[in-house]
Amino acid sequence: MARLAPWLMGAALSLLPVAAIAQDAPRDVRIGYLSLDYDARYDEKLVYLGLVLDPLTPPVPGARMGVEDLKILADAAGFSATLDEQKAADVAGLVARVQEMAAAGERFIIVDLPADVLDQVAAATRDLKVTLLNTTAHEDFLRERCYPNLLHTAASDRQLADALVQLLRVRNWTNVLVLFGQNPRDKVLADVFTVAAQRLRLNIVDTRQVTQSTDSESMEQNNTLLVTGGVDYDVIYIADTQGDYARYLPYATQLPRPVIGSTGLEAAEWNWTWERDGASQVISRFDRLTGDLHMDGPDWAAWVAAKSVMTAYGKSRKTDPDEIDAWMRGARFGVDGSKGVLMSFRPWDGQMRMPITLSTADAVIEAAPLDGFEHQVTTLDTLGTDQPEFVCK
C-alpha cells in the first residue's frame, strides 16, 4: 500500500473529528462581507508633484482567499461556504444590509468600514443574531464600546504601540521624542503611544506637533532640523496618517537617530516580507489571486477573519449558530494566521490576540511580543489593553 507523506497524514488525521459529524453540519454557509460604496480611505493620496503615497486597496481578496484556503476543512465537515459581498452608500444602507443578511441566516459578517461608520452600524445592530468582524478599523474606542456583536481581527492602536515600545525597551532606546501631524487622528496615535511607553517606563523627552505649511510663522513646525532640535533622544516616534511629513523625516533630523511609527520602522498585523511560519505560501497565493499585489495588514485581517469563521463551523462540532459563535469566542478556539501561534479572541474586548510585525519597507526586523515579556495567561496579552486595565466606555 502507498504510504502517505507525513504532512499529508497529519492533515488527514486532523480532519477526522470534523468528518465524523459531517452529516450534522450545515450544508450551505454564507459569510457576509460588508463595505461602503465609496470609502475615502482608498482614494489615492496625491502630494506635491502628484506622487501617490502607499495607496490602500480594499481587503476583500483576503476574505475570498480565507474561504478558499479552508475548503478542505469544509468538505470534511460536510458544508460549503460562499462569501456574500454587499455594499451600501451610508450608515442607514449598511444597517439595512446587516438586517437582510441576518434574516437570510448569515451569522458572521466581515466588515471593512471606517471606525466612525462601524461604530454606528454595530450600535444599530447590536440586538441582532449576527457577529461583525472588523478588519480595518484600529481605533481603541471601538473595543471600549464592548458591543456584544463586534469582534476585531484588525490590530488595535494599543497593540501596535505596545509592539513598538517593546522593541525600544529591548534595545534600551528609552528616551523618545514624539511628533504628531495636523490630523486629529495623529494626536490620538501619539497619545496611545505615550501611554504604552509610560507602562514600560520609557521617557518621553518632548511632544511636538509638525506641519507641512510653508509659511514663515510655521518654520519651527515644518523644518525637520528645528522640529528635532534642542533636546536629546534615542529615537523619534512620529504619528502622521497623511504620510507627507513623515516621509521627509529619516536622515533629516538634528541628531542621527532612528525613526519609528508612520515611517521608518512600522508596526502592523502583517508585512509582505514575512518569511517564517508558512507565510511565504500565504503571500504567494495572495499574489496570484490579486495579480501581484503585496499582502498588507488589512488583507491579512480579512483573510484571518474568514479563516476564523470557517474554522468555527468546521471544528466546533456544533450546528446551532449561537453555539458556533460562542465556540469561536471561547477558550478552545484557535486559528492559524501563519505567525507561529494559534490566535483567539479576548473575551473582554473582542480583540484577536496576535503577534505584530515590526518592519521597514522591505524587511521584517522583529515580531512582537519579544522575548523576555511574560504574562500569566499568554504573552500575546502583553500587546494591547490587558483585562485588569480594561474599562467599557
Side-chain angles (χ1 to χ4, degrees):
M1 183 191 322
R3 297 180 61 189
L4 288 174
W7 67 268
L8 185 57
M9 183 179 295
L13 290 174
S14 69
L15 293 177
L16 284 177
V18 293
I21 61 162
Q23 67 273 18
D24 298 322
R27 302 304 301 172
D28 182 24
V29 173
R30 288 165 60 86
I31 303 170
Y33 186 96
L34 189 62
S35 59
L36 282 167
D37 281 328
Y38 166 71
D39 191 331
R41 296 176 300 171
Y42 301 120
D43 287 347
E44 289 187 344
K45 295 179 180 178
L46 297 180
V47 295
Y48 184 62
L49 295 181
L51 297 175
V52 178
L53 297 181
D54 296 328
L56 294 173
T57 55
V60 64
R64 295 170 186 158
M65 192 173 85
V67 172
E68 181 64 26
D69 281 357
L70 267 70
K71 188 177 183 299
I72 293 177
L73 176 63
D75 290 343
F79 71 92
S80 62
T82 55
L83 195 66
D84 179 22
E85 300 173 28
Q86 298 288 339
K87 292 186 175 185
D90 53 24
V91 170
L94 293 166
V95 171
R97 293 289 183 275
V98 174
Q99 292 169 337
E100 293 165 2
M101 289 175 172
E106 297 178 26
R107 180 54 186 261
F108 299 97
I109 303 175
I110 300 167
V111 291
D112 167 29
L113 297 172
D116 59 331
V117 175
L118 178 54
D119 187 25
Q120 298 175 71
V121 172
T125 61
R126 63 182 300 156
D127 295 327
L128 295 178
K129 291 285 189 179
V130 69
T131 296
L132 310 176
L133 290 98
N134 163 36
T135 62
T136 54
H138 299 104
E139 285 81 346
D140 283 311
F141 80 83
L142 280 174
R143 285 78 180 163
E144 295 165 354
R145 293 283 198 256
C146 298
Y147 290 125
N149 59 331
L150 184 59
L151 299 175
H152 310 272
T153 58
S156 68
D157 286 339
R158 183 61 183 274
Q159 282 178 307
L160 301 174
D162 281 337
L164 288 168
V165 167
Q166 284 190 8
L167 180 69
L168 299 188
R169 172 49 67 186
V170 168
R171 295 285 192 271
N172 202 30
W173 299 342
T174 57
N175 296 309
V176 188
L177 173 62
V178 173
L179 306 180
F180 65 97
Q182 299 290 313
N183 191 303
R185 173 90 172 122
D186 299 338
K187 182 61 165 61
V188 170
L189 291 174
D191 289 344
V192 172
F193 176 84
T194 297
V195 171
Q198 290 172 341
R199 183 167 72 169
L200 291 189
R201 299 184 180 180
L202 302 186
N203 177 34
I204 305 299
V205 298
D206 202 359
T207 300
R208 300 173 177 178
Q209 190 169 28
V210 299
T211 179
Q212 278 292 100
S213 175
T214 57
D215 64 81
S216 57
E217 294 181 356
S218 301
M219 183 171 294
E220 290 188 359
Q221 291 180 298
N222 63 30
N223 184 293
T224 58
L225 292 178
L226 293 178
V227 165
T228 61
V231 66
D232 192 19
Y233 44 87
D234 300 315
V235 63
I236 297 172
Y237 169 84
I238 182 166
D240 177 22
T241 51
Q242 295 300 111
D244 204 10
Y245 189 95
R247 69 193 181 110
Y248 288 108
L249 192 60
Y251 308 104
T253 58
Q254 186 69 252
L255 299 176
R257 301 291 187 265
V259 180
I260 65 172
S262 295
T263 193
L265 192 75
E266 301 182 47
E269 300 94 339
W270 185 259
N271 184 276
W272 66 276
T273 62
W274 184 244
E275 297 174 331
R276 306 197 312 244
D277 308 312
S280 57
Q281 290 88 347
V282 175
I283 292 165
S284 295
R285 292 198 302 276
F286 188 82
D287 287 349
R288 290 194 298 270
L289 177 66
T290 61
D292 294 328
L293 284 178
H294 289 325
M295 190 179 198
D296 59 15
D299 298 320
W300 178 90
W303 173 68
V304 84
K307 285 193 68 175
S308 296
V309 176
M310 295 287 287
T311 298
Y313 274 100
K315 292 190 174 182
S316 66
R317 301 174 181 245
K318 309 293 183 183
T319 58
D320 180 79
D322 289 346
E323 294 182 336
I324 293 171
D325 180 69
W327 190 86
M328 192 169 80
R329 298 167 183 263
R332 296 180 60 193
F333 175 79
V335 64
D336 177 16
S338 289
K339 293 187 179 184
V341 297
L342 290 179
M343 299 174 299
S344 60
F345 292 98
R346 291 174 178 151
W348 57 91
D349 62 358
Q351 176 64 52
M352 175 168 277
R353 301 174 168 102
M354 68 181 75
I356 299 295
T357 61
L358 299 171
S359 311
T360 62
D362 54 11
V364 176
I365 304 304
E366 288 283 3
L370 277 68
D371 290 342
F373 290 90
E374 302 295 335
H375 191 276
Q376 62 269 31
V377 177
T378 169
T379 56
L380 294 177
D381 282 345
T382 63
L383 304 175
T385 306
D386 201 4
Q387 189 168 15
E389 61 181 326
F390 181 75
V391 178
C392 289
K393 299 178 182 178

